[in-house]
Amino acid sequence: GVQTCALPIFSRPDVSAAGWAHDQWHGYEFQLPSLPAGRHEARIYAAHDSGDRKRKSLQLLGNPLIFMIDNGKPVKGSETKW
């Protein structure tokens, strides 16, 4: 599969207000690479430290996001919601 990376650099006060994070800096966006037409699935992972920062893991956030591509662009309204 295709992989891309984004850092959480956008303010999302709703995320911290809901108790999901200790601060508001957890918003992100990323550009899709060129994808062939058809059904695609996006998954968002967060890096997680545990064991006094001695262990690192990736945690899946929410459910996979399903979307369609046609003529090189996402089909509006085809994406699932988290």
Side-chain angles (χ1 to χ4, degrees), residues 11-26:
S11 174
R12 288 285 309 273
D14 58 312
V15 173
S16 59
W20 289 97
H22 65 278
D23 62 36
Q24 67 189 27
W25 299 104
H26 291 273

Side-chain angles (χ1 to χ4, degrees), residues 39-58:
R39 179 185 182 273
H40 296 274
E41 183 175 299
R43 295 172 184 245
I44 307 297
Y45 292 89
H48 177 71
D49 290 330
S50 63
D52 209 19
R53 295 188 169 218
K54 293 178 183 173
R55 292 186 302 270
K56 304 206 182 280
S57 64
L58 293 176

Side-chain angles (χ1 to χ4, degrees), residues 4-5 7-8 21 35 40 57 59 73 77-78 81:
T4 188
C5 179
L7 296 175
L35 296 171
H40 296 274
S57 64
Q59 293 184 329
K73 296 182 181 179
S78 70
K81 303 297 182 205

Side-chain angles (χ1 to χ4, degrees), residues 32 34-38 40 67-76 78:
L32 288 176
S34 178
L35 296 171
H40 296 274
F67 61 98
M68 300 291 293
I69 296 288
D70 188 29
N71 291 323
K73 296 182 181 179
V75 176
K76 190 171 184 132
S78 70

